[in-house]
Amino acid sequence: MTVETRKVSLTETAETVLQRRYYLKDAQGHPVENWEKLCRRVANAVALPDRELDDYEEVRDHFFSLIYSLDFLPNSPCLMNAGTGIGQLSACFVLPVEDSMEGIFTAVKNGALVHKTGGGTGYSFSRLRPRNATVSSTQGVASGPLSFAAVFDVATETIKQGGKRRGANMGVMRVDHPDIMDFICAKEDQTRFNNFNFSVAITDEFMQALYDEREYALVDPVTKEIVSSLNARTVFDKIVDLAWHNGEPGVLFIDAANRANPTPQLGEFEATNPCGEQWLLPYESCNLGSINLGNFVEGGRVDYDRLARTTRLATRFLDNVIDCNVFPIPEIKEMTMKTRKIGLGIMGMHDMLIQMGLSYASNEGRKLCAEVMKYIRTISEETSIELAKVKGPFPAFDPAINTYTPRRNAALTSIQPTGTVSMIADCASGCEPYFSIVMVKHVMDGDKLLMVNKHFEEIARAEGFYSTELMARVADSGTVVGHEEIPVKWQEIFCTAQDITPSDHIQMQGILQQSGVDSSISKTINMPNTATKEDVRLAYLMGYEMGCKGLTVYRDGSRDGQVLNTKSAS
Ligand code: CDP
């Protein structure tokens, strides 16, 4: 059977990104690949574990077509490393940090090995004894989790990830750790811990204390003794205060994550990967991939049949990645092979909504996204169950504990940010709304170029309201809202991350989480510069109540030297 491949044209931006960081290069640094060759390299490598199966050649050609058509893209390490000497294909890792010198510096070393191959690492510092606790071997006092976190930060700074991307870390501390206030304030000084995202792991017990307006206990993780207590409101207000100031720390709802732990027999979740979409057990890794939903709207309807075919193939692709992966250390290989987690997600969700004529901030828009995510989850699970029949369920599956049907992968879905892969696919990132509709790009010799959203340009031209002058005004105001030449309907449909309310952002995250996401979702709750601390406080409460497993808020312009802004990008 010949596999049909849809023709694709890459944008100039996509080509530039690919040439700089994805295509293999010769000794002089010149790219020796193009998009087709890259897709063949990746498809051939990822199909290889199936070489003994009857449908091997067909599957290999389907994998090629899947990526080449931009219907689905795996995470960057897979695109960069598959079929090369590096062969490490995953984006997400969580490494344990044990409370000993040996444990801490083993984690530093393992993190360095992961970063070298393009992966990101999450660490929980919750197991480390608090600052000033006794150290029996030296009869001294402990310097505390934060001083060790600084070592991880410096190590990351020193290693560039395979020369292609800088290392990224997530640092997590439980809200009941005695050093929690130091942790919350650690990034107040914006020159410190720049290679980390910091998130506070908030427990249900803490939330209850917050609702009851009372104190909660701080527990020494080594002795398990209650060493003191803090007022929950004071701690929460400090998190809110600093998140309002510069977007950190984020919050993770760790009990919600552990309630959904598919393999509690192997341990508890303590941390996520750097962008928060993947909860993992210590030493687990996970490879991600995203279906480009913008490619699945035909004549104003979602093509569910094609979406199902793509989901089946994408699930099999990600499952195969586990078998052809070269893991950085044996412990990671062992844990990853036990649970075989994959992170199938989406990108171009806003492109889908726009093509369906729905606003990101509408009930109908949310309903559609939830339905699509649920559909992907269902088909992916069916595929994983089918794969288990052929290749066996994940080895840690225990029918006495795991009540679901035996499947090949302990976790199936999560929504990654798609920071770079969405640039290759030319679509809105992950489940985010577009950040702007018209941007000014500063090109060489001081010229400015207007970059207009492809859907908006098409509609504006078709309906006769396109003009360079209007586009310049949209770029200048940072929004399509309020320009009278633009019909109100399109003003609503082309609302961006800054035009919609924080509640709209959270509702979308919440509904996606509830409807079809096993692990978690990377999403920013954007707020205008004028947002108050009370707005941030209410956002966290709403996220918790909607069952989100974490929340990141960002107030426009609050971080020094903010790179991305609605009006210009260079
Ligand atoms: O689009 P791409 O596949 O490059 O990555 P992403 O979706 O923006 O990020 C997915 C995950 O890759 C993050 O959550 C991190 O775990 C990891 N990552 C990293 O380690 N270093 C980076 N510079 C970017 C992402």
Side-chain angles (χ1 to χ4, degrees):
M1 187 182 134
T2 51
V3 173
E4 202 188 315
T5 301
R6 300 195 316 148
K7 263 267 150 283
V8 68
S9 62
L10 295 172
T11 63
E12 214 179 293
T13 308
E15 262 303 337
T16 309
V17 170
L18 287 164
Q19 285 184 14
R20 277 199 199 142
R21 292 165 52 196
Y22 291 77
Y23 293 155
L24 295 184
K25 299 201 170 85
D26 62 18
Q28 283 73 45
H30 301 123
V32 292
E33 281 188 320
N34 58 19
W35 181 235
E36 185 177 343
K37 283 192 178 145
L38 179 148
C39 296
R40 290 255 178 248
R41 164 170 61 77
V42 174
N44 289 349
V46 176
L48 217 54
D50 287 343
R51 61 190 171 281
E52 307 293 336
L53 299 181
D54 292 345
D55 62 352
Y56 163 60
E57 284 178 10
E58 201 185 310
V59 163
R60 184 195 58 198
D61 294 351
H62 275 304
F63 284 172
F64 168 79
S65 174
L66 188 67
I67 309 169
Y68 182 77
S69 61
L70 302 170
D71 283 349
F72 163 87
L73 288 179
N75 55 212
S76 288
C78 181
L79 289 173
M80 290 168 174
N81 301 340
T84 74
I86 301 176
Q88 194 296 103
L89 311 181
S90 299
C92 311
F93 297 77
V94 163
L95 295 169
V97 187
E98 308 284 355
D99 180 61
S100 67
M101 277 300 165
E102 179 81 19
I104 293 165
F105 285 90
T106 299
V108 172
K109 176 182 144 197
N110 291 340
L113 294 175
V114 170
H115 288 174
K116 214 175 79 174
T117 61
T121 41
Y123 306 95
S124 165
F125 295 110
S126 306
R127 297 192 203 180
L128 301 186
R129 72 193 67 188
R131 186 159 52 91
N132 295 333
T134 49
V135 180
S136 54
S137 57
T138 58
Q139 282 162 9
V141 292
S143 53
L146 273 164
S147 64
F148 288 117
V151 179
F152 287 79
D153 193 56
V154 173
T156 309
E157 188 69 43
T158 319
I159 310 148
K160 279 203 174 173
Q161 295 185 352
K164 288 176 178 166
R165 52 190 198 170
R166 283 193 85 76
N169 299 301
M170 171 66 88
V172 180
M173 187 180 274
R174 283 178 67 93
V175 72
D176 52 13
H177 190 285
D179 289 358
I180 192 61
M181 280 313 239
D182 291 347
F183 180 80
I184 291 168
C185 301
K187 292 193 72 174
E188 201 168 2
D189 172 354
Q190 290 185 40
T191 62
R192 300 193 67 211
F193 298 111
N194 279 325
N195 298 295
F196 266 100
N197 291 326
F198 272 1
S199 284
V200 180
I202 299 227
T203 59
D204 286 347
E205 198 182 322
F206 173 86
M207 291 306 285
Q208 199 51 53
L210 182 69
Y211 291 132
D212 297 347
E213 298 183 13
R214 59 175 166 80
E215 303 225 322
Y216 73 102
L218 300 185
V219 183
D220 182 316
V222 179
T223 64
K224 310 283 181 223
E225 281 166 15
I226 295 177
V227 292
S228 59
S229 64
L230 282 171
N231 183 287
R233 179 69 196 242
T234 311
V235 174
F236 196 60
D237 282 352
K238 194 70 195 169
I239 296 172
V240 166
D241 188 27
L242 293 174
W244 181 88
H245 270 290
N246 70 4
E248 283 203 71
V251 298
L252 294 172
F253 298 117
I254 194 166
D255 291 334
N258 274 306
R259 271 192 293 278
N261 181 352
T263 54
Q265 67 268 34
L266 298 182
E268 283 185 14
F269 291 132
E270 295 171 39
T272 67
N273 70 328
C275 301
E277 70 273 22
Q278 199 68 47
W279 285 91
L280 293 170
L281 300 173
Y283 285 125
E284 261 186 325
S285 71
C286 180
N287 70 95
L288 314 170
S290 304
I291 296 177
N292 179 1
L293 293 180
N295 278 7
F296 290 85
V297 182
E298 289 298 336
R301 299 187 53 226
V302 174
D303 185 343
Y304 279 101
D305 288 344
R306 207 161 69 75
L307 184 59
R309 287 199 295 279
T310 299
T311 304
R312 280 190 210 105
L313 275 170
T315 304
R316 184 155 170 193
F317 180 99
L318 295 175
D319 180 61
N320 270 20
V321 166
I322 302 168
D323 294 315
C324 56
N325 213 341
V326 177
F327 294 95
I329 54 167
E331 292 88 340
I332 292 175
K333 180 171 183 178
E334 192 189 326
M335 266 310 278
T336 306
M337 295 302 245
K338 265 190 198 166
T339 55
R340 304 188 62 88
K341 287 181 181 168
I342 59 171
L344 178 61
I346 52 174
M347 59 182 162
M349 190 184 87
H350 198 196
D351 299 75
M352 172 185 78
L353 287 169
I354 290 170
Q355 292 173 82
M356 295 286 290
L358 295 172
S359 160
Y360 190 98
S362 65
N363 273 330
E364 298 93 308
R366 281 190 284 272
K367 216 173 129 235
L368 175 76
C369 294
E371 193 177 291
V372 165
M373 199 62 225
K374 188 168 184 196
Y375 187 73
I376 291 174
R377 169 71 181 68
T378 304
I379 302 287
S380 182
E381 188 181 33
E382 275 173 27
T383 311
S384 188
I385 291 168
E386 287 303 313
L387 285 173
K389 289 181 190 150
V390 182
K391 302 179 173 186
F394 64 89
F397 181 83
D398 181 349
I401 297 169
N402 310 125
T403 48
Y404 40 84
T405 313
R407 59 187 193 224
R408 182 103 174 121
N409 316 92
L412 297 160
T413 49
S414 67
I415 302 182
Q416 65 169 113
T418 70
T420 1
V421 293
S422 66
M423 286 163 83
I424 298 173
D426 187 30
C427 64
S429 52
C431 63
E432 297 286 8
Y434 273 106
F435 201 73
S436 67
I437 298 301
V438 185
M439 275 199 305
V440 178
K441 190 174 178 184
H442 299 280
V443 288
M444 272 178 295
D445 52 42
D447 277 358
K448 288 179 186 169
L449 204 67
L450 287 177
M451 310 267 289
V452 184
N453 174 281
K454 59 183 175 185
H455 308 290
F456 188 68
E457 177 162 358
E458 194 184 313
I459 288 163
R461 287 192 191 277
E463 298 210 353
F465 63 86
Y466 186 92
S467 72
T468 312
E469 193 267 325
L470 173 63
M471 298 306 126
R473 270 192 286 125
V474 171
D476 202 43
S477 68
T479 174
V480 294
V481 179
H483 298 273
E484 59 182 31
E485 301 95 313
I486 304 174
V488 173
K489 173 186 165 194
W490 298 122
Q491 291 191 23
E492 277 170 19
I493 291 171
F494 284 94
C495 269
T496 60
Q498 294 291 337
D499 294 322
I500 66 175
T501 65
S503 157
D504 292 327
H505 280 284
I506 301 165
Q507 284 187 69
M508 185 59 95
Q509 184 177 331
I511 202 163
L512 287 169
Q513 181 72 62
Q514 288 163 20
S515 57
V517 176
D518 293 328
S519 196
S520 193
I521 298 174
S522 169
K523 162 126 190 67
T524 304
I525 309 305
N526 288 98
M527 299 199 174
N529 187 261
T530 51
T532 62
K533 290 179 186 169
E534 183 62 9
D535 293 331
V536 176
R537 201 175 76 82
L538 293 175
Y540 282 154
L541 293 178
M542 186 175 168
Y544 176 69
E545 280 153 21
M546 287 206 70
C548 296
K549 295 187 190 168
L551 212 73
T552 305
V553 298
Y554 184 67
R555 191 170 58 89
D556 189 39
S558 60
R559 200 167 287 170
D560 291 351
Q562 182 181 339
V563 193
L564 200 60
N565 103 23
T566 40
K567 293 187 189 166
S568 70
S570 48

